[in-house]
Amino acid sequence: MAVTAETIRSRTNDPLTIAGRTYSSRLLVGTGKYKDLEETRRAVEASGAQIITIAVRRTNIGQNPNEPSLLDTLPPSKYTYLPNTAGCYSAEDAVRTCRLARELLDGHELVKLEVLGSEKTLYPDIPQTLMAAETLIADGFKVMVYTNDDPIVARRFAEMGCVAVMPLAAPIGSGLGIRNPYNIRFIVEEATVPVLVDAGVGTASDAAIAMELGCDGVLMNTAIAAAQNPVLMAQAMRKAVEAGREAYLAGRMPRKQYGSPSSPLGGTFF
Amino acid sequence: MKIMLNGQEKSFKAPLTVSALLQDMGLGERRVAVEVNREIVPRSRHGEFQLNENDRVEVVFAIGGGGMSREQGPHA
């Protein structure tokens, strides 16, 4: 968005809009890889996230009815659930997962689509993801699509009707931060739907950089869950996303090849 | 009556509805989604939907997840 006086005045009201709903937090978090549900809850709360991803998996046969569930700990009344298709390596599996998630969540249609192509790198399989997106969109789903940082692919997903495009910073769980900021910038510049960096964020500065590049939000899981102190990292990430967003809206100074003094040249006494 | 339940062969007494199956699994109070032979059985039909011999049943629920790695898909 253009940086104008209007922008600065209204920066305290700078909501993220996805599929017609607005959110004040631009940090989205996953709920996996935590020690237990209690740690999950504390980290999610510290992050300030309003949208949380969940996975759809088989129940264990012989379920303990007294075991607390994710829905009890982080209720769908308080959070926007974003079911994901984690672990799917085919369009067919991803579509099945989304349909089951929709049944599970009483017709909820916002989903995160990811179709992986490699167990080692967890890189997205773009041809399968395109196929899955097409089927899901035709079936009424609102698809936030996990993709690589290819700007033409990102454009294709937006054109076909995905409600958000989510390029990876680096492979899932790698914590390597934004590997190709130039591509992320290309994607942001021509975006017609929100762009959220998803996967590969490792620490707070990575999240801030994503926002400084102009992204609309950041989605992360491992960066928080695998930190030594997840609740503290969640707090750091919340601030990083806010700081990065404000820095972006503020319009950074230009980079210069040489130095340029900040103090006046005249009036020196030496 | 034998059915395939979440990838495992299980025997039950017929007749068996989806509701009865979920009760037997200890999931009576849980929010789950059920698929029989790749077709979703909506919650509104759990009480009346009868399972048959050799049906492939999947019962899934929501759990914590982000970019989970090296996990089986729900229907592996």
Side-chain angles (χ1 to χ4, degrees):
Chain A
M1 71 198 257
V3 177
T4 60
E6 218 67 48
T7 308
I8 296 163
R9 267 197 289 280
S10 68
R11 71 153 170 79
T12 48
N13 180 26
D14 173 38
L16 169 65
T17 303
I18 298 177
R21 275 185 77 169
T22 59
Y23 305 89
S24 55
S25 170
R26 292 176 176 271
L27 174 58
L28 289 64
V29 297
T31 51
K33 292 183 173 173
Y34 287 99
K35 194 174 73 191
D36 51 37
L37 276 178
E38 181 54 21
E39 187 182 73
T40 313
R41 183 191 66 75
R42 289 174 56 226
V44 170
E45 278 190 17
S47 75
Q50 294 169 302
I51 300 173
I52 62 174
T53 65
I54 58 140
V56 176
R57 291 286 183 270
R58 284 172 169 162
T59 60
N60 299 319
I61 295 172
Q63 189 74 24
N64 178 358
N66 298 316
E67 225 173 85
S69 76
L70 187 72
L71 275 82
D72 297 328
T73 310
L74 294 161
S77 51
K78 194 173 161 200
Y79 294 93
T80 295
Y81 271 32
L82 186 60
N84 70 22
T85 64
C88 291
Y89 287 79
S90 71
E92 186 189 344
D93 284 347
V95 170
R96 261 173 95 191
T97 303
C98 290
R99 287 178 173 150
L100 279 162
R102 181 167 59 182
E103 161 64 13
L104 198 55
L105 300 172
D106 295 327
H108 172 97
E109 290 184 323
L110 187 68
V111 293
K112 171 183 152 171
L113 170 63
E114 74 185 68
V115 186
L116 306 182
S118 158
E119 283 193 19
K120 184 169 159 186
T121 65
L122 303 179
Y123 225 72
D125 180 330
I126 298 301
Q128 287 289 305
T129 311
L130 284 162
M131 272 172 53
E134 199 176 332
T135 305
L136 290 167
I137 290 165
D139 196 10
F141 285 94
K142 300 181 175 119
V143 178
M144 298 178 67
V145 62
Y146 169 65
T147 177
N148 62 21
D149 56 10
D150 180 330
I152 310 302
V153 168
R155 185 206 296 167
R156 186 78 201 93
F157 280 121
E159 279 170 354
M160 73 181 352
C162 292
V163 300
V165 165
M166 307 207 291
L168 56 85
I172 293 169
S174 69
L176 292 170
I178 296 179
R179 297 284 82 199
N180 194 340
Y182 299 99
N183 277 32
I184 301 292
R185 196 169 243 304
F186 292 155
I187 294 172
V188 165
E189 277 169 6
E190 64 161 42
T192 54
V193 295
V195 176
L196 292 84
V197 156
D198 176 16
V201 166
T203 188
S205 46
D206 300 331
I209 290 170
M211 297 310 290
E212 285 169 12
L213 287 168
C215 291
D216 297 280
V218 182
L219 201 163
M220 66 179 70
N221 191 155
T222 311
I224 296 174
Q228 306 289 332
N229 183 336
V231 176
L232 188 56
M233 183 59 88
Q235 197 174 282
M237 289 298 186
R238 176 185 192 152
K239 292 173 184 169
V241 169
E242 287 172 7
R245 178 64 176 172
E246 287 187 0
Y248 173 72
L249 292 177
R252 65 155 295 150
M253 60 168 279
R255 287 181 169 88
K256 291 173 180 158
Q257 192 169 11
Y258 298 105
S260 111
S262 305
S263 305
L265 293 171
T268 53
F269 53 89
F270 41 77
Chain B
M1 173 174 80
K2 278 209 280 276
I3 61 170
M4 217 40 182
L5 176 59
N6 285 357
Q8 290 182 34
E9 203 176 80
K10 290 272 172 188
S11 289
F12 291 93
K13 274 217 314 241
L16 183 71
T17 62
V18 168
S19 284
L21 173 65
L22 295 178
Q23 283 288 339
D24 187 271
M25 291 171 78
L27 295 168
E29 304 306 308
R30 294 288 200 168
R31 191 190 276 256
V32 296
V34 177
E35 204 194 54
V36 177
N37 300 329
R38 299 281 184 119
E39 296 268 332
I40 292 177
V41 179
R43 199 169 311 140
S44 56
R45 297 197 56 213
H46 285 185
E48 64 183 40
F49 192 98
Q50 297 278 355
L51 295 168
N52 298 306
E53 181 84 23
N54 294 326
D55 273 350
R56 303 182 83 84
V57 182
E58 298 286 349
V59 180
V60 298
F61 66 162
I63 60 159
M68 291 298 284
S69 56
R70 289 173 197 90
E71 284 250 316
Q72 285 190 332
H75 317 289

